Structure formats: structure tokens, C-alpha cells
Amino acid sequence: MAIDESTWTVSLSRTFVSVSAKRYTSRADFVARLRRVFDVLAALLSPPLADRLGIRYVCRIEEPSLLQGLARLLRPEVAGTFTTELGAGSVRQRELVDALYRQSDGTLLQARWGLLEAAVTYDLTIPPSPNAAFILDLDVSTSVAQPFSPGELAELSRHFAERQYRFFRWAVTDDFLHAFGGGGHR
């Protein structure tokens, strides 16, 4: 799959660097590009420390037919009450789960998922959808200060992306992957 470079954004301020992509071919591709940003930053500015590192993945489903079929796309633990029939005259406006998990190595995994009505967002960094949507937002991070080493930061980013993917694969079914052109098999 060819990737349009305009889908990639690097943002830099005095206190952070951020790399975002609307699409990417693989986690390895994402981490390689992130490593290049770390290398350039190290060469130009020589930051002594990285005091926070995080990798975030946001999946948004807006297609009405897929929203109606969430029960087959998500594990029951994730679909939760999204699939519960409501009484006559009731309409589910919004339902959002926000879970925070601390790993034994001190890293955090924040997992947010749920249904949002049109034109609503739960996070100002994510533009609202003009349609109702299901969101799965996974953020793995650490706030332990460490030397700014591009190689070590890239390796930690890869590890975070793998941890994130394990949660994603736990949360979705093979039907989810097939619906979006992926393969199945856990």
C-alpha cells in the first residue's frame, strides 16, 4: 500500500514532539519513521531527557451498518451494554468506558471505547465526527524520565505499539478484521 506523505504530521514545541499518521502500512513502518524524528531531534537539539513517551492508536467506526453490528465485531466484554435493547422511545445518546491499567513495569495503558452521538468528542485532540461513531482509543505511555536515546526510545515505542496491539486484538473479533480488509486468526 502506498502511503501519502501528507497523512503524516510532525509537531514540535519547546516541551514535546509528536508524530501522527492517518494511515500507515505497519507498526514497523510507524516506529521507523518515529525513529527518524528522534534522530533528527537528537542531532539538532540534543535533548538530555525524555520525560514522557506515549503511543496512541484511535479507531473510529462511523458506518451505520457496522454500528448496528457491533456485537459481532467486538468481544462481549467490550460491546458491553452497547448491544442491549432499550425500551420503547429510548435512544442511546452516548456510552463511553475509560479504563486505566498500570503494568508491572510502571507503564500505563489507557483504553477508552464507546458510542458517541454526532458532533461530540471526548477529547479535544480528536475532531468530532459528523455521524454517530464507535471509538476505540488506546494509549500506552510512561512518565519515567530517561536519557534521550533515539534507538532506545524507538525500541520502547515498538514495545508500546505491540502492547497496544495485543489489547486491540483482544477487544475485536475476526469479523472486525474482515470488515476492514484484514485477516483473522489470533
Side-chain angles (χ1 to χ4, degrees), residues 3-152:
I3 296 295
D4 175 1
E5 292 295 324
S6 68
T7 64
W8 290 83
T9 303
V10 176
S11 303
L12 179 65
S13 82
R14 288 189 46 210
T15 59
F16 78 89
V17 63
S18 168
V19 177
S20 64
K22 293 180 183 171
R23 286 188 174 76
Y24 55 95
T25 57
S26 66
R27 288 185 308 280
D29 173 51
F30 185 88
V31 171
R33 290 174 187 244
L34 185 58
R35 167 68 191 260
R36 285 189 293 229
V37 171
F38 291 153
D39 286 336
V40 169
L41 190 59
L44 293 177
L45 302 176
S46 302
L49 293 174
D51 60 9
R52 181 183 188 281
L53 178 67
I55 299 290
R56 187 174 186 188
Y57 173 79
V58 179
C59 172
R60 179 164 49 193
I61 300 172
E62 301 174 8
E63 174 61 42
S65 65
L66 293 175
L67 290 176
Q68 291 173 355
L70 280 177
R72 69 178 180 76
L73 301 178
L74 304 171
R75 286 178 59 100
E77 299 90 340
V78 175
T81 62
F82 304 155
T83 58
T84 304
E85 289 294 322
L86 301 175
S90 295
V91 176
R92 181 175 284 103
Q93 289 291 131
R94 178 181 324 137
E95 188 171 338
L96 192 63
V97 173
D98 187 343
L100 184 63
Y101 307 96
R102 180 174 301 280
Q103 306 292 307
S104 61
D105 63 2
T107 60
L108 298 175
L109 167 64
Q110 183 174 20
R112 293 183 278 190
W113 65 88
L115 297 168
L116 299 174
E117 67 265 41
V120 169
T121 189
Y122 61 96
D123 183 324
L124 295 177
T125 64
I126 299 173
S129 170
N131 308 307
F134 170 80
I135 296 282
L136 176 59
D137 179 351
L138 304 173
D139 187 359
V140 179
S141 66
T142 183
S143 294
V144 175
Q146 57 196 303
F148 193 94
S149 165
E152 289 178 22

